[in-house]
Amino acid sequence: MLLLFGSLFAHSQSKRIDSLLLVLHQTKNDIDKAKTLNALSDEYKTSDPKQMVAYAEKALELSKKIKFRIAEGNAYLNLGNSSIIAGSYPKAIKYFSMAQTLFENETASDLDVKKGLAKSYGSIGVVFSEQSNYANALHFYLKAARIYEAIKDLPKCAKVYNNIGIVYKSELADFKALTYFIKAQKIQEQLKDPNIGITYTNIANGYLKQKDFNKAFDYYTKAKTSLDANPNPRALGEWYNNMGLFYKAKVNAAQAIENWKLAIIIFKSIDDKFGVADTYLYLGQLYLEQNKLQEAYSNAIQALQLAKELGILEQRMLSEKVLSTIYTQQHNPTAAFEHYQLYSQAKDSLTNAENIRKGVEAEMNYENEKREVIHKKELEKRELLLQEQSKQSKMQLFFAVLFGLLLFGIGFLIYSRIQLRKTLTLQKELAEYEQKALHLQMNPHFVFNCLGSISSFIVNNGTESAIKYLAKFSKLMRLTLEYSKESLIPIDKEIESLQNYLELEQLRFNHKFNFTINKSTAIEDDVALPPLLLQPFIENAIIHGVIPKKEQGQITIHFSVDDNNLICVIEDNGIGFEKSKLMKENSVVIHKSMALDITKKRLQMIASSTNQKADFSIEEIKDSNEVVGTKVVLHLPIQYIK
């Protein structure tokens, strides 16, 4: 089968190459020669990377000589693609970025320029995708897709949609991935695109992940039929890899291994080191599962060597993990631990996506700045050849420009740091304002409850007692208004406020309960907490805990410290949390309580602004399986009055 495929592909490609070579020999126009050289380079992409480089370099040399910018950009793209195949990603990024810069500096209305720019973006996306830098890959793919959609280049749209789908699949966004694969499929079926086999394979992979083996096999079959009709060695190698994964999922190890060995033959025939590394890794993982440690070791080592050569962090990580497991099973703890450490280092680096993104962007910026400086030097040299008499002034200008760039770079760095500091300050202030806003929401809730208490007290105790109650309430309100201006108040002030509130409630409910407030001596005087944070829990302890109980109630509030946490404990000897909840469900609800919801949000804001634990728990106190009260425990970060 492989011999038949190879002969068919070679015959088809040979005819196209012979035709292009004939055109090249007959063409006398340098513009057409440059185009033909690029076409030959692209034709060798799937069969002979060395010939691809040779023709691309000839196209680059000729296009520079005649100043044919579009052909020069396409030559850079061909050189970049050859670097991807060879696994040299830094060189690929360099060539693609040079093509991008060249096309961006040309007239944007030219259709060939738009196509070249879109191809540059898409190619940069491919490099980022193979380096597992999916955020940057998606950024460049979408830029390419917008241009192809604008110029209505449907075949290229389908190709980019496929690549976008692969990125989403890698980020586990399977629904988005399938959406883009299906968009690509519709376009390719309409155009009878020879690359539809790649799309069918991608869709099949989606169904395989969903364990829908029948649909997956149907699409794999469609893909193979298309690849047989339209030979593409790299796509065929990926197909064999995916069929290996399919048979592995079907627990058919023999078929999986057979397909992966065919994939290695295909990838090696076009010197695709990335594909070979992937396949060795699949074989190593399968042999490890079968406890064939020697075969697993051989394949994992080869995968690791290629991953290091290519700089593919994800492949390195998985290879190190396989090797660590092999040594563990061979009872070699020293080697197992060594490879596990290397696996952990690779994993940590891989998860630090933001640092990777910044590093790659910094490298790209450096390359762009370097190209700009080189370009300026070339301009200066040409000017010096034309105007020898102005040599000194030109050199002065050149150094002035470099010095200006240096000053600009330093200024930009300083400005960036200042802006970052401002942003962090604003974020902190925003968190504080949000917390204050939630606190201010508590004030009206507290006032409404107190006014309800006064109304009840007037009805039940008469005017004279109500006046005394109102005097105490006014004192409490004065304290509350005073505290509402601050995001934090000293703990002694909070205790004073709670003392006043509990005395009011004692009056209101005819001394139906007693209370005590204790503070640990380990708590410093300047320890602070947000005002009105505990009041809703104490109110619930009174209204829903001790008041429904026939016996005398008791509420205890205790403040202590534990490591970096301020612990606030509120206990009551009431009817218990569950019984109170049941009573409220069976009663007619007059209004919806917002206090606990607001308190939860306040605690979330405290945790966000301090990066420390801020939460509460409610549990029932039991004695011989009988509920004897409720206990609320708040954990707050220790904060101080500035």
Side-chain angles (χ1 to χ4, degrees):
M1 181 181 66
L2 285 172
L3 287 171
L4 176 62
F5 164 79
S7 62
L8 287 172
F9 176 69
H11 177 70
S12 171
Q13 189 182 45
S14 178
K15 285 181 66 178
R16 290 194 297 271
I17 290 173
D18 289 344
S19 175
L20 287 170
L21 286 171
L22 182 62
V23 171
L24 182 64
H25 291 310
Q26 292 177 347
T27 300
K28 296 182 180 180
N29 185 305
D30 283 344
I31 291 177
D32 291 334
K33 276 186 179 180
K35 289 181 178 179
T36 308
L37 287 167
N38 271 324
L40 276 165
S41 176
D42 188 63
E43 198 61 44
Y44 278 111
K45 178 169 61 179
T46 57
S47 60
D48 192 340
K50 292 181 180 177
Q51 286 282 49
M52 182 184 185
V53 172
Y55 280 109
E57 287 176 344
K58 289 179 181 179
L60 181 61
E61 183 182 357
L62 179 59
S63 57
K64 280 185 174 181
K65 179 182 175 183
I66 62 176
K67 298 181 180 179
F68 185 14
R69 299 300 183 197
I70 293 174
E72 183 182 346
N74 287 326
Y76 284 133
L77 290 172
N78 284 329
L79 287 169
N81 284 325
S82 68
S83 298
I84 289 181
I85 295 169
S88 180
Y89 295 113
K91 283 178 69 176
I93 280 285
K94 173 187 171 185
Y95 286 128
F96 291 145
S97 298
M98 290 170 78
Q100 174 193 346
T101 302
L102 194 148
F103 286 123
E104 285 177 343
N105 290 333
E106 291 298 301
T107 306
S109 58
D110 191 310
L111 183 60
D112 287 333
V113 172
K114 290 180 179 178
K115 287 183 177 179
L117 184 58
K119 192 172 181 181
S120 302
Y121 290 147
S123 300
I124 293 172
V126 169
V127 177
F128 282 134
S129 180
E130 294 203 359
Q131 288 182 320
S132 304
N133 190 339
Y134 300 120
N136 266 338
L138 185 61
H139 170 72
F140 280 99
Y141 283 150
L142 291 173
K143 289 179 77 171
R146 282 194 286 270
I147 296 175
Y148 286 134
E149 287 168 354
I151 63 177
K152 294 181 170 51
D153 190 337
L154 294 180
K156 289 294 195 307
C157 280
K159 189 174 181 180
V160 175
Y161 291 155
N162 247 323
N163 290 340
I164 293 172
I166 290 168
V167 170
Y168 279 126
K169 180 176 177 290
S170 301
E171 292 187 322
L172 305 180
D174 295 325
F175 180 78
K176 284 186 177 180
L178 192 58
T179 301
Y180 277 96
F181 289 147
I182 291 172
K183 284 175 73 174
Q185 177 193 355
K186 288 179 180 177
I187 293 172
Q188 291 173 325
E189 286 179 344
Q190 176 188 342
L191 301 176
K192 297 182 179 178
D193 192 318
N195 293 314
I196 195 170
I198 297 171
T199 307
Y200 286 145
T201 302
N202 289 332
I203 295 173
N205 293 340
Y207 285 120
L208 176 59
K209 190 173 181 182
Q210 297 173 10
K211 304 293 184 185
D212 192 337
F213 296 116
N214 292 332
K215 282 188 177 180
F217 188 77
D218 288 344
Y219 273 98
Y220 282 133
T221 305
K222 287 182 180 180
K224 186 62 169 63
T225 303
S226 174
L227 291 171
D228 288 342
N230 305 284
N232 182 333
R234 194 176 194 206
L236 183 63
E238 291 293 343
W239 185 86
Y240 280 123
N241 261 348
N242 288 306
M243 284 303 296
L245 294 172
F246 173 81
Y247 283 115
K248 182 182 178 183
K250 293 274 288 182
V251 198
N252 188 338
Q255 285 283 357
I257 293 169
E258 181 181 338
N259 277 277
W260 284 332
K261 288 183 176 179
L262 291 172
I264 289 174
I265 295 171
I266 296 292
F267 285 133
K268 283 186 175 180
S269 71
I270 57 171
D271 198 25
D272 187 342
K273 295 178 182 177
F274 181 86
V276 175
D278 251 359
T279 314
Y280 279 138
L281 186 57
Y282 293 146
L283 284 165
Q285 290 169 333
L286 179 60
Y287 283 130
L288 179 60
E289 291 173 10
Q290 294 178 324
N291 205 29
K292 296 179 179 179
L293 301 185
Q294 190 58 44
E295 292 90 336
Y297 176 83
S298 173
N299 284 280
I301 280 291
Q302 292 184 79
L304 180 60
Q305 289 171 347
L306 286 170
K308 287 180 177 178
E309 182 182 340
L310 299 175
I312 307 300
L313 199 58
E314 188 172 2
Q315 289 178 343
R316 277 181 55 195
M317 177 188 75
L318 296 173
S319 301
E320 294 288 3
K321 186 178 182 182
V322 171
L323 290 169
S324 176
T325 307
I326 291 170
Y327 281 119
T328 300
Q329 294 187 14
Q330 289 178 339
H331 307 293
N332 187 343
T334 303
F337 180 69
E338 179 183 344
H339 284 283
Y340 184 80
Q341 282 185 312
L342 293 170
Y343 156 72
S344 298
Q345 290 170 8
K347 184 179 179 182
D348 290 342
S349 299
L350 191 63
T351 53
N352 193 359
E354 185 64 20
N355 288 340
I356 294 172
R357 181 184 67 79
K358 288 180 180 178
V360 174
E361 285 183 352
E363 183 180 348
M364 289 179 64
N365 289 336
Y366 170 74
E367 291 295 334
N368 288 333
E369 289 174 7
K370 189 166 71 174
R371 286 197 305 274
E372 287 177 9
V373 172
I374 292 170
H375 181 61
K376 288 178 188 288
K377 285 182 178 179
E378 289 175 353
L379 288 175
E380 291 293 336
K381 287 178 182 178
R382 284 196 290 269
E383 288 295 323
L384 287 171
L385 290 173
L386 294 172
Q387 300 178 4
E388 280 293 330
Q389 67 276 16
S390 60
K391 181 178 180 180
Q392 186 176 1
S393 61
K394 294 293 182 182
M395 288 299 293
Q396 289 173 347
L397 178 61
F398 172 71
F399 285 115
V401 170
L402 283 181
F403 184 67
L405 285 173
L406 180 62
L407 287 178
F408 175 77
I410 294 171
F412 180 75
L413 285 174
I414 293 171
Y415 175 76
S416 298
R417 290 183 66 84
I418 291 171
Q419 291 300 113
L420 178 62
R421 191 175 297 135
K422 285 182 179 178
T423 302
L424 293 173
T425 302
L426 287 172
Q427 288 175 349
K428 183 179 179 183
E429 289 178 354
L430 178 61
E432 289 178 356
Y433 288 140
E434 287 178 343
Q435 187 180 333
K436 257 187 184 176
L438 289 171
H439 166 219
L440 291 174
Q441 284 184 6
M442 277 295 300
N443 284 338
H445 170 83
F446 177 65
V447 171
F448 295 151
N449 286 351
C450 286
L451 289 174
S453 297
I454 291 172
S455 174
S456 172
F457 202 76
I458 290 172
V459 171
N460 296 322
N461 295 282
T463 307
E464 185 178 346
S465 298
I467 290 171
K468 291 180 182 177
Y469 189 97
L470 191 58
K472 279 188 173 290
F473 171 68
S474 66
K475 180 183 177 183
L476 181 60
M477 283 305 299
R478 186 169 63 254
L479 290 172
T480 303
L481 289 171
E482 180 184 341
Y483 301 156
S484 66
K485 299 173 186 176
E486 306 295 335
S487 58
L488 293 171
I489 63 170
I491 190 169
D492 289 337
K493 292 287 186 182
E494 178 69 4
I495 291 173
E496 180 185 355
S497 177
L498 294 177
Q499 178 91 18
N500 202 320
Y501 172 72
L502 285 162
E503 288 174 358
L504 280 170
E505 293 297 79
Q506 269 187 328
L507 283 172
R508 175 186 170 194
F509 292 108
N510 243 348
H511 290 276
K512 182 73 170 32
F513 66 90
N514 297 318
F515 69 88
T516 57
I517 302 176
N518 301 314
K519 184 183 81 168
S520 169
T521 56
I523 299 176
E524 300 174 64
D525 292 339
D526 56 349
V527 168
L529 71 165
L532 285 180
L533 191 65
L534 305 182
Q535 187 271 338
F537 297 106
I538 296 170
E539 181 181 359
N540 283 344
I542 297 169
I543 303 298
H544 305 297
V546 299
I547 296 304
K549 191 173 182 178
K550 294 180 181 179
E551 295 84 0
Q552 180 73 13
Q554 177 66 41
I555 294 175
T556 304
I557 303 166
H558 181 68
F559 295 91
S560 61
V561 290
D562 180 19
D563 291 334
N564 290 324
N565 291 321
L566 176 63
I567 311 299
C568 308
V569 180
I570 303 164
E571 292 187 17
D572 66 69
N573 64 343
I575 61 174
F577 178 74
E578 292 298 330
K579 188 174 181 181
S580 169
K581 184 178 176 182
L582 184 63
M583 288 176 65
K584 282 191 283 184
E585 288 174 356
N586 295 329
S587 66
V588 178
V589 179
I590 299 173
H591 74 285
K592 181 182 178 182
S593 175
M594 299 182 295
L596 281 181
D597 289 339
I598 293 172
T599 302
K600 287 177 183 177
K601 290 179 182 177
R602 292 182 71 189
L603 289 171
Q604 289 171 4
M605 291 307 307
I606 292 168
S608 174
S609 63
T610 61
N611 290 323
Q612 295 184 50
K613 181 179 180 182
D615 60 13
F616 71 90
S617 62
I618 302 176
E619 61 183 45
E620 290 187 330
I621 304 170
K622 294 185 178 180
D623 184 10
S624 302
N625 291 327
E626 182 181 351
V627 176
V628 294
T630 304
K631 180 180 180 180
V632 179
V633 181
L634 283 90
H635 293 81
L636 302 173
I638 292 183
Q639 301 180 81
Y640 297 94
I641 294 294
K642 294 181 182 178

